Amino acid sequence: MNPPAPTAIAVFDIDGVVRDVAGSYRRAIADTVQHFTRDRYRPTPEDIDALKAEGRWNNDWEASQELIARFFQARDFSETLPDFQAIVDFFQAKYRGENFSGYIQSEPLLMDRSYLEELTQGGVLWGFFSGATRGSAGYVLERRLGLEQPILVAMEDAPGKPDPAGLFQTIALLARRHSFAADLSVPFDFPIIYVGDTVADMQTVERAKQAYPMQQWFAVGVIPPHVQRRSLYAQILNEAGAIAVLDSVGQLLDWIQGDRSNY
């Protein structure tokens, strides 16, 4: 059966939306900070959430470096910060491992291929814009979800969020694949939804609105599984620009097609 004519575009972040990274990326951050502070500090999940809520630390290597720096500054240590590449190498050894044997292999998925097919049949075009590396993002999309040549803009392809350049690139790729114009010239009344789990994701949409104010932009937040204080987290995402905050990414199609006031 041919899919219906498209009525919306949904672009997904990956970490916290497609896959649960509490036991992988978040664990690798904690391991990295503990290692470079010589076992004097291991950030809690709440510490990492608080840092991410600032909206500036979407890159987990930079987040690790910042937590190390703040630990040293708070205790007036005169120690030299570790080289950034050393932080990256240690983090990647934990997270990615040899031939994807690290924490990445045990990430629970938060959506499956059939859900994406549902979106297609619901008239929703979809793609992915993530701050994850292309190798990591490709691993989950192609090897775990079984997608063939998914539309993906990853860390190596665009500036970090909240810069919206990667979001625009994703939309351009979707436009070309699905016979829109080869740029952002989709109809102004065509909804474009970015689904993410962080303040930086919501701010990305706010920046997109500034660049293309005539377009219909929707920032939709998803609360990742590891969050304990879910109502507070939802409030933070709302304040950062989310028009809706969902308990799971599986609610998105219902939100698009149904009564959005419930979310």
Side-chain angles (χ1 to χ4, degrees), residues 205-221:
V205 179
E206 292 301 303
R207 300 270 188 97
K209 289 178 182 177
Q210 294 170 15
Y212 294 93
M214 297 295 291
Q215 194 71 52
Q216 282 198 54
W217 298 101
F218 298 93
V220 173

Side-chain angles (χ1 to χ4, degrees), residues 9 20 34 39 47 82 98 111 155 167 203-204 210-211 215 221 241 253-254:
I9 287 175
D20 181 358
Q34 181 175 353
D39 294 329
D47 293 337
E98 194 80 24
M111 67 167 63
M155 177 193 289
L167 180 58
Q203 291 175 341
T204 298
Q210 294 170 15
Q215 194 71 52
L253 188 57
D254 288 341

Side-chain angles (χ1 to χ4, degrees), residues 41-56:
Y41 171 50
R42 182 177 180 86
T44 65
E46 291 76 17
D47 293 337
I48 298 171
D49 281 345
L51 184 75
K52 293 284 187 177
E54 295 177 13
R56 297 174 52 207

Side-chain angles (χ1 to χ4, degrees), residues 130-201:
S130 172
T133 65
R134 179 159 283 275
S136 169
Y139 176 85
V140 68
L141 296 181
E142 296 173 17
R143 293 174 61 173
R144 299 284 309 281
L145 283 177
L147 304 180
E148 296 179 7
Q149 298 183 322
I151 296 291
L152 168 65
V153 173
M155 177 193 289
E156 298 90 337
D157 306 318
K161 292 177 278 190
D163 190 312
L167 180 58
F168 298 154
Q169 287 182 39
T170 310
I171 294 163
L173 291 170
L174 284 165
R176 283 195 287 271
R177 180 173 289 185
H178 297 281
S179 302
F180 285 109
D183 55 22
L184 191 59
S185 300
V186 297
F188 285 140
D189 61 352
F190 201 85
I192 299 175
I193 303 157
Y194 186 48
V195 185
D197 70 316
T198 67
V199 168
D201 295 330

Side-chain angles (χ1 to χ4, degrees), residues 6-140:
T7 57
I9 287 175
V11 179
F12 296 96
D13 182 31
I14 292 178
D15 301 333
V17 176
V18 177
R19 60 183 173 191
D20 181 358
V21 296
S24 56
Y25 269 124
R26 297 299 181 102
R27 183 179 175 189
I29 290 174
D31 286 354
T32 302
V33 174
Q34 181 175 353
H35 174 78
F36 285 104
T37 59
R38 298 203 298 276
D39 294 329
R40 289 172 292 183
Y41 171 50
R42 182 177 180 86
T44 65
E46 291 76 17
D47 293 337
I48 298 171
D49 281 345
L51 184 75
K52 293 284 187 177
E54 295 177 13
R56 297 174 52 207
W57 309 107
N58 194 63
N59 182 304
D60 288 331
W61 302 333
E62 294 175 357
S64 300
Q65 183 184 51
E66 181 64 15
L67 287 169
I68 295 164
R70 291 186 186 187
F71 174 79
F72 288 159
Q73 291 165 2
R75 287 147 186 83
D76 199 25
F77 291 148
S78 58
E79 298 176 55
T80 303
L81 280 174
D83 178 74
F84 183 67
Q85 189 58 50
I87 291 173
V88 172
D89 291 344
F90 184 89
F91 183 104
Q92 289 296 87
K94 291 289 186 178
Y95 173 70
R96 184 166 175 168
E98 194 80 24
N99 297 319
F100 295 99
S101 62
Y103 299 156
I104 189 174
Q105 69 173 332
S106 59
E107 293 170 328
L109 294 179
L110 302 175
M111 67 167 63
D112 57 25
R113 183 171 177 168
S114 65
Y115 170 71
L116 294 169
E117 291 169 354
E118 245 186 276
L119 290 178
T120 300
Q121 293 303 320
V124 181
L125 307 180
W126 45 268
F128 303 90
F129 167 43
S130 172
T133 65
R134 179 159 283 275
S136 169
Y139 176 85
V140 68

